[in-house]
Amino acid sequence: MTQDASPTAAKKLFIKTYGCQMNVYDSQRMAEAMGAEGYELTEDQAQADMVLLNTCHIREKAAEKLYSDLGRLKPLKAEKPDLKIGVAGCVAQAEGAEIIRRMPLVDLVVGPQTYHRLPAMMRGEAPAILTDFPEEDKFDHLPERRATRRAPAAFLTVQEGCDKFCAFCVVPYTRGAEVSRPVDRILREARDLVARGVREITLLGQNVNGWHGQGRDGREWGFGRLIRAIAEIEGLDRIRYTTSHPNDMADDLISAHRDIPALMPYLHLPVQSGSDRILKAMNRKHTADQYLRLIDRIREARPDILLTSDFIVGFPGETDQDHADTLRLVEQVGFGTAFSFKYSPRPGTPAYDRAEVEGAVADARLQELQALLSRQQRAAQESMVGRTVSVLFERPGRETGQMVGKSDYLHSVFVEASQAQVGDLVQVRILESAPNSLRGALLD
């Protein structure tokens, strides 16, 4: 027989996170904000007192996916009328009141810049829909991060929003203008993470290398200088960052890849197309040649760096020659991996009403590009066989005595290490390359 929960029992919060690493970070901070209100995270949606869907609006049919997920919550809401359902993130920002109009079971809608007000919304002290861009800094109003041990790798948002206004992108409209957090606040959060067991921090931003925050000296710092300051934190072994824009790869950041051992030899640098004509139509503000020359400078500073990128295939107006230009750029760079997608129009963006490339043509181009990128990924992984890399163990593997972690180059590595623990940073010799991972052995 089930006993009634005591009045002091913690309420349960279930969060589903869509999309990028910044949403993962935001979900963690929302959980902490609600934790101050007596909520504990649960992985069982059926046991939740509150369900929060933290959405992403980058890909096609993002709103439709949200409404589909909300529809599946109707039976749970009917069974538990007191269940609170909230929608957060970029779809919340874009759709606003339309979400509650279409799905009256939703109790609150909160954008990515106002989620610090979730507790007040739950208490009825703030509107049920908050999708403005407030002047106040949400980080000033979030609770201190809990003094509990963390996983060995963590995300840390240092910058939000974007001023680039690429023709295909909704970020400037859902996340707002670029805002950089001050150095002291970033360092305080980084030190707190390290004190709780974190050995690797990934710095996040929609345009992270465009970060320009107020330094400890009262002057504006560049991103390279911030990385140097973070690298001084004792106990922090690894630093990564994502996502970057080619136009913001400043000299001090490139030299940081040369000078700072903790800055991992991995860089995600989206280019989107290899055609100057399409890059101009995308409003990328750089050419293919400028991108290639930038890659040369980065590799001169860090010859072993593994490069990854993003590509959009079938952007409005793309011709066979434009597609060939993209393939040629990929051949010239040699990426360790890359994300490639067929163009999907996003409402409210400059490219939304432009004539689309025929679907079958775009599909064929995407397959050709992905085949090339897959060959490069296999070659990059096979080149690791026989090399020694450092691996940070993040979890046990499926097999007894097996551990799984990330290499310097962000490859997943499976190792037989029965005495190892999560959080160990070890030297591993790579023995074998699998389709999406590596297998290695501990060095004596």
Side-chain angles (χ1 to χ4, degrees):
M1 181 175 179
T2 303
Q3 295 181 344
D4 291 335
S6 69
T8 57
K11 292 170 284 189
K12 301 296 184 182
L13 170 65
F14 176 88
I15 301 181
K16 179 175 181 178
T17 304
Y18 307 70
C20 66
Q21 297 99 324
M22 288 195 71
N23 268 16
V24 174
Y25 174 89
D26 286 346
S27 290
Q28 293 170 352
R29 300 312 307 268
M30 284 188 276
E32 290 164 354
M34 294 307 297
E37 300 293 307
Y39 282 82
E40 291 182 354
L41 281 175
T42 179
E43 295 183 1
D44 185 355
Q45 184 174 276
Q47 298 300 315
D49 299 288
M50 179 181 183
V51 172
L52 191 60
L53 306 181
N54 188 17
T55 60
C56 175
H57 205 257
I58 294 297
R59 301 299 168 209
E60 187 178 14
K61 299 182 179 178
E64 287 83 349
K65 180 176 177 60
L66 167 67
Y67 291 121
S68 177
D69 286 348
L70 287 171
R72 284 191 283 270
L73 285 172
K74 287 182 178 180
L76 185 60
K77 183 79 167 184
E79 179 184 335
K80 301 174 65 175
D82 291 335
L83 174 69
K84 299 296 183 183
I85 298 177
V87 177
C90 292
V91 175
Q93 185 72 37
E95 296 281 302
E98 176 68 8
I99 293 173
I100 294 180
R101 189 193 70 78
R102 286 184 58 176
M103 287 288 181
L105 79 165
V106 174
D107 298 286
L108 59 92
V109 176
V110 60
Q113 302 306 331
T114 48
Y115 64 70
H116 61 289
R117 301 194 66 191
L118 266 174
M121 297 172 76
M122 288 293 292
R123 294 192 300 266
E125 299 170 4
I129 302 172
L130 282 176
T131 56
D132 55 349
F133 293 105
E135 293 183 4
E136 63 186 9
D137 185 347
K138 68 185 175 189
F139 296 103
D140 289 341
H141 299 273
L142 289 167
E144 290 293 324
R145 309 203 75 167
R146 297 180 185 176
T148 54
R149 187 163 181 83
R150 291 289 302 264
F155 297 127
L156 198 170
T157 291
V158 301
Q159 180 272 342
E160 289 191 288
C162 185
D163 296 338
K164 293 294 188 287
F165 289 94
C166 295
F168 52 81
C169 187
V170 298
V171 167
Y173 312 101
T174 57
R175 288 275 182 169
E178 290 184 9
V179 177
S180 297
R181 297 180 67 189
V183 170
D184 282 344
R185 295 175 191 171
I186 295 170
L187 292 180
R188 184 166 63 244
E189 189 171 340
R191 291 191 190 100
D192 174 70
L193 289 169
V194 173
R196 291 185 286 127
V198 170
R199 304 187 70 173
E200 174 182 305
I201 290 177
T202 299
L203 306 176
L204 298 179
Q206 268 84 30
N207 185 33
V208 69
N209 61 339
W211 178 93
H212 283 86
Q214 184 181 38
R216 292 170 293 188
D217 55 4
R219 299 180 179 180
E220 186 177 85
W221 286 20
F223 191 54
R225 188 175 179 184
L226 174 66
I227 288 177
R228 293 175 190 273
I230 293 173
E232 294 175 1
I233 298 174
E234 186 175 354
L236 181 61
D237 297 291
R238 290 174 156 191
I239 301 170
R240 304 184 191 274
Y241 62 91
T242 194
T243 290
S244 300
H245 193 285
N247 292 357
D248 290 316
M249 284 299 299
D251 291 342
D252 69 327
L253 179 54
I254 294 174
S255 64
H257 279 279
R258 178 193 64 214
D259 300 335
I260 302 176
L263 184 56
M264 292 292 94
Y266 175 96
L267 175 61
H268 184 66
L269 194 61
V271 62
Q272 307 299 355
S273 175
S275 161
D276 287 347
R277 198 177 67 83
I278 295 300
L279 288 171
K280 184 176 181 179
M282 289 178 168
N283 195 36
R284 292 289 292 174
K285 298 185 175 69
H286 64 79
T287 65
D289 182 65
Q290 287 169 336
Y291 183 87
L292 291 169
R293 286 190 280 115
L294 175 61
I295 296 301
D296 288 341
R297 291 172 56 212
I298 294 168
R299 281 180 165 154
E300 182 179 2
R302 188 67 195 253
D304 67 327
I305 199 164
L306 186 143
L307 295 164
T308 71
S309 195
D310 291 342
F311 291 90
I312 294 175
V313 171
F315 188 78
E318 183 186 71
T319 65
D320 288 342
Q321 182 58 55
D322 296 322
H323 175 62
D325 290 343
T326 296
L327 297 178
R328 182 165 58 251
L329 181 141
V330 172
E331 291 278 13
Q332 289 179 267
V333 174
F335 292 100
T337 187
F339 302 98
S340 53
F341 305 92
K342 187 169 69 171
Y343 170 74
S344 61
R346 313 308 299 139
T349 60
Y352 178 64
D353 293 325
R354 299 179 190 175
E356 296 182 48
V357 173
E358 183 182 348
V361 173
D363 287 337
R365 291 174 184 169
L366 181 61
Q367 291 176 15
E368 186 176 18
L369 174 60
Q370 289 182 337
L372 172 57
L373 292 169
S374 294
R375 291 195 296 273
Q376 291 191 347
Q377 178 179 339
R378 288 196 299 273
Q381 290 194 180
E382 289 168 1
S383 72
M384 302 301 298
V385 175
R387 294 179 58 178
T388 297
V389 297
S390 68
V391 174
L392 178 62
F393 287 142
E394 296 181 347
R395 59 181 174 85
R398 293 181 179 179
E399 300 176 8
T400 302
Q402 186 183 67
M403 295 295 289
V404 185
K406 291 294 195 301
S407 75
D408 321 58
Y409 305 94
L410 208 61
H411 291 126
S412 291
V413 183
F414 292 75
V415 183
E416 298 300 323
S418 58
Q419 303 303 312
Q421 297 181 356
V422 171
D424 286 350
L425 184 62
V426 298
Q427 293 294 301
V428 171
R429 184 174 180 81
I430 302 302
L431 304 176
E432 183 181 356
S433 171
N436 294 297
S437 63
L438 302 170
R439 186 176 67 84
L442 287 175
L443 293 185
D444 293 334

